[in-house]
Amino acid sequence: MSGIWILGGTILIFIVAYITYGSWLARQWGVDPSKETPAHTLDDGTDYVPVKAPVLLGHHFSSIAGPGAIHGPMQAAIFGWVPVLLWIVIGGIFFGAVQDFSALFASVRHKGKSLGGVIEENIGRKSKLCFNIFAWMVVVLMVAALVDIVAGTFAGFTLDTVSGEMVKNSANGSVATASMLFIPLAVCFGFINRANAPLALTTVIGVLMLGGCVTLGLFYPVYLTKTVWLAVIFLYIFAASVTPVWILLQPRDYLNSFLLYLTMTAAIIGIVIANPSVKLEPFTGWSVDGNMLFPFLFVTVSCGAVSGIHSLVGSGVTSKQLNTEKSVKLIGYGAMLMEGVLAVIALIAVGYLTKDGVYTEVGTPFQVFSAAIGKFFSAMGISAYGERLLDTIVLLAISAFALTSLDTATRVGRLLFQELFEKQGERNKFFGNGCVATFLTLAAAGALSLAGYQKIWALFGACNQLVAAFSFLAVACWLKRIGRAHKMLYFPMVFLLVATLSSLGMTFYKNLMTLLQKGVGVSWMVQGVQNVLIAPIFAMAVVMAVDGCRVLFRKKKLN
């Protein structure tokens, strides 16, 4: 199958969906550009800060377009390219983009409160507490994983599989240098942008300086161990979480978005000119290597089709910066469709390099992605040096995806933690403090990382999509309450609830059988810990689903 047809068809469908379905949703829900947003009415210079649409789009897109958009489609490719592509397209249009749009809009109309706040007002406090605890756990797991991934891409010394010795890794060193130089650049850009300088001029200067950071990184790589980078990254994300959003988080993500745009543009140009053929089978079976297509596909593709983390970012961070409701469709619905394009590029990459979707011989998902783009340009006659340069830039962009997702996730975790100790608008003086909440969130993530987050990472896909299911539920309850159309959210909500609870139930049963067969031993460190977590998560999910459905289908008084 031609990569051009797959990519071109997807982009065309997404454009039509944005113009038609996205606009229809905006009318149905009553998006009103004349209404003042919380960024203006509650402007505090820290979390609530109005910002121009292009800057917020870049910040939001960089935050949601994490490694999952590349990793997820590649993992699911074992079922063939057809089911993965169908889920990216259908899921992106009717699930992911709708969730992101609705969660952002609901938060804006609830004074910039997170989904937990929306749930409290429209379902009840008990459900809000369950949701915030659960969502905070998901964010902690995500932070633990991303810290490890980013530190790995910065590590200046890696193991040589041939000699068995630690050797310098120039690509990682270059990525580390450029990424660290981005930070002071972002701070300068934030102050200049705060002074209301012309955005077009500051963007051109910022992007040129961004290119300078990349160039310096290529010539002056930094070689530090992974352990040192772990400490540096934890310090950085702590600062990014507690400082005013306009100083570091917002400008850094905005500038980094241009790396993301560049990478996607380069990939699209490479696919259009090289016209790679997808060797991957269209469909390989309903069950592959013990994984059933349902629910595995729907909890694995994640960010490429629908991701609960997006609703936490939209309601926890983005809604507090929205300048006007006119931009809510672009940032909510549009950014998710853009990420769907990234997921399709990842699918074409793995389909071009493998026949069965097994990519481990090629490398990690990120190495597969960068290698495929390099080969697209190699087929066009680019030099070996140019291919190496492109490969380094793509790896740099991927590490930027992870780092921007990481700093935003930390801020989301901090806000969720603070809300756990909030009652009637008043926060606990100790646990509600931003520095304390950030420290405890990062401490939990650090402990999990040291203990081996991989032992429970398998649960992340299902838990992430479970957040999406409750995002649909919360927004549906609110829309019903204000008399707006909400039934378009029913099917995505029910489908994701069934898929995620099925996945958790199957994992619990499989782990239990393994434990019974092997007895007490090393398995308890993996299957045992997973099952200990699955039980309360499943219970909280049932509580929230029952409470939410009572509001939707019966007139229930709020707690």
Side-chain angles (χ1 to χ4, degrees):
M1 181 67 179
S2 166
I4 291 179
W5 284 106
I6 294 175
L7 181 62
T10 300
I11 292 174
L12 179 62
I13 292 169
F14 280 167
I15 291 172
V16 172
Y18 179 80
I19 295 171
T20 57
Y21 193 52
S23 299
W24 180 79
L25 289 173
R27 289 193 301 272
Q28 292 296 307
W29 296 338
V31 173
D32 185 357
S34 68
K35 281 185 175 290
E36 267 199 308
T37 62
H40 291 283
T41 59
L42 300 173
D43 188 352
D44 61 3
T46 301
D47 293 318
Y48 290 85
V49 179
V51 65
K52 295 171 183 175
V55 177
L56 188 56
L57 174 63
H59 162 57
H60 181 77
F61 185 43
S62 293
S63 298
I64 66 170
I70 295 171
H71 193 274
M74 289 190 185
Q75 273 194 310
I78 57 173
F79 294 105
W81 66 266
V82 169
V84 179
L85 180 65
L86 287 175
W87 177 232
I88 290 172
V89 173
I90 296 171
I93 293 170
F94 298 106
F95 287 67
V98 175
Q99 179 219 211
D100 293 15
F101 185 3
S102 62
L104 174 58
F105 183 52
S107 177
V108 168
R109 289 294 180 88
H110 285 78
K111 301 179 180 179
K113 291 181 180 179
S114 72
L115 273 178
V118 177
I119 288 172
E120 182 174 27
E121 284 194 28
N122 297 280
I123 299 177
R125 181 166 173 78
K126 178 177 62 177
S127 289
K128 178 240 178 137
L129 289 174
C130 287
F131 178 82
N132 273 27
I133 292 169
F134 166 63
W136 183 78
M137 289 168 59
V138 173
V139 169
V140 165
L141 179 56
M142 181 180 177
V143 170
L146 290 180
V147 163
D148 189 75
I149 290 170
V150 173
T153 61
F154 287 1
F157 302 94
T158 53
L159 183 66
D160 186 312
T161 54
V162 178
S163 66
E165 297 179 354
M166 299 299 288
V167 296
K168 285 185 176 181
N169 187 316
S170 59
N172 283 14
S174 295
V175 168
T177 300
S179 295
M180 290 300 103
L181 289 174
F182 286 176
I183 295 172
L185 170 60
V187 172
C188 291
F189 186 87
F191 277 98
I192 293 170
N193 196 43
R194 186 72 169 172
N196 291 319
L199 180 61
L201 177 62
T202 56
T203 298
V204 170
I205 295 172
V207 170
L208 288 174
M209 293 181 71
L210 185 67
C213 293
V214 174
T215 304
L216 287 171
L218 292 171
F219 285 100
Y220 301 101
V222 172
Y223 297 105
L224 297 174
T225 64
K226 183 177 178 180
T227 303
V228 173
W229 280 121
L230 281 170
V232 171
I233 292 165
F234 271 116
L235 287 173
Y236 162 71
I237 58 178
F238 181 91
S241 173
V242 299
T243 54
V245 70
W246 60 268
I247 288 179
L248 181 55
L249 189 70
Q250 185 189 89
R252 187 186 184 283
D253 290 359
Y254 173 61
L255 290 176
N256 271 337
S257 70
F258 287 94
L259 267 179
L260 182 51
Y261 299 148
L262 174 65
T263 300
M264 291 181 64
T265 301
I268 291 170
I269 291 171
I271 290 170
V272 169
I273 296 177
N275 191 18
S277 177
V278 174
K279 304 169 187 174
L280 185 65
E281 291 291 324
F283 180 64
T284 59
W286 296 101
S287 179
V288 180
D289 296 332
N291 297 303
M292 295 175 64
L293 188 143
F294 182 89
F296 184 85
L297 173 70
F298 305 100
V299 299
T300 302
V301 173
S302 187
C303 297
V306 57
S307 169
I309 289 292
H310 292 192
S311 64
L312 299 180
V313 172
S315 67
V317 180
T318 308
S319 64
K320 296 176 175 64
Q321 303 171 64
L322 192 74
N323 188 43
T324 168
E325 286 190 9
K326 181 181 179 181
S327 306
V328 75
K329 185 183 83 164
L330 171 66
I331 295 168
Y333 199 87
M336 179 59 224
L337 296 185
M338 289 165 61
E339 188 167 11
V341 174
L342 178 62
V344 171
I345 293 171
L347 177 62
I348 293 171
V350 72
Y352 174 67
L353 295 179
T354 70
K355 290 184 178 180
D356 55 5
V358 179
Y359 54 79
T360 49
E361 290 185 6
V362 180
T364 66
F366 313 127
Q367 289 170 332
V368 171
F369 187 82
S370 60
I373 294 176
K375 287 185 181 297
F376 297 159
F377 278 83
S378 177
M380 294 153 46
I382 193 172
S383 67
Y385 175 78
E387 189 176 340
R388 185 173 68 83
L389 178 64
L390 182 66
D391 187 59
T392 301
I393 292 173
V394 171
L395 283 174
L396 173 62
I398 290 171
S399 74
F401 303 166
L403 195 55
T404 50
S405 295
L406 179 57
D407 53 26
T408 303
T410 305
R411 200 176 192 93
V412 170
R414 185 258 288 177
L415 292 168
L416 285 168
F417 190 90
Q418 287 178 294
E419 284 188 9
L420 280 172
F421 299 93
E422 180 180 275
K423 195 169 184 180
Q424 295 178 343
E426 293 292 325
R427 286 177 177 170
N428 180 282
K429 288 184 179 179
F430 181 74
F431 291 110
N433 178 274
C435 290
V436 173
T438 301
F439 176 80
L440 293 175
T441 298
L442 293 181
L448 187 59
S449 183
L450 290 173
Y453 75 89
Q454 298 93 337
K455 294 181 177 67
I456 58 173
W457 178 249
L459 302 180
F460 177 76
C463 291
N464 182 32
Q465 304 307 65
L466 196 52
V467 171
F470 290 116
S471 174
F472 284 121
L473 179 61
V475 176
C477 289
W478 166 62
L479 290 172
K480 180 187 177 183
R481 192 178 184 185
I482 63 173
R484 288 284 181 178
H486 59 282
K487 291 185 178 179
M488 75 286 285
L489 305 181
Y490 284 9
F491 181 75
M493 175 186 71
V494 173
F495 183 87
L496 288 176
L497 270 175
V498 172
T500 53
L501 294 180
S502 296
S503 177
L504 289 172
M506 290 165 67
T507 302
F508 186 91
Y509 177 78
K510 185 178 177 181
N511 287 344
L512 185 61
M513 291 300 101
T514 302
L515 291 170
L516 290 175
Q517 289 169 9
K518 294 184 177 179
V520 178
V522 179
S523 291
W524 281 103
M525 293 297 292
V526 182
Q527 286 88 359
V529 172
Q530 285 185 10
N531 277 9
V532 166
L533 289 172
I534 288 173
I537 287 171
F538 203 99
M540 285 189 289
V542 171
V543 168
M544 288 186 283
V546 170
D547 273 5
C549 287
R550 282 176 179 166
V551 172
L552 274 181
F553 304 114
R554 297 184 216 162
K555 291 182 181 178
K556 174 182 178 286
K557 250 185 172 178
L558 294 181
N559 297 333

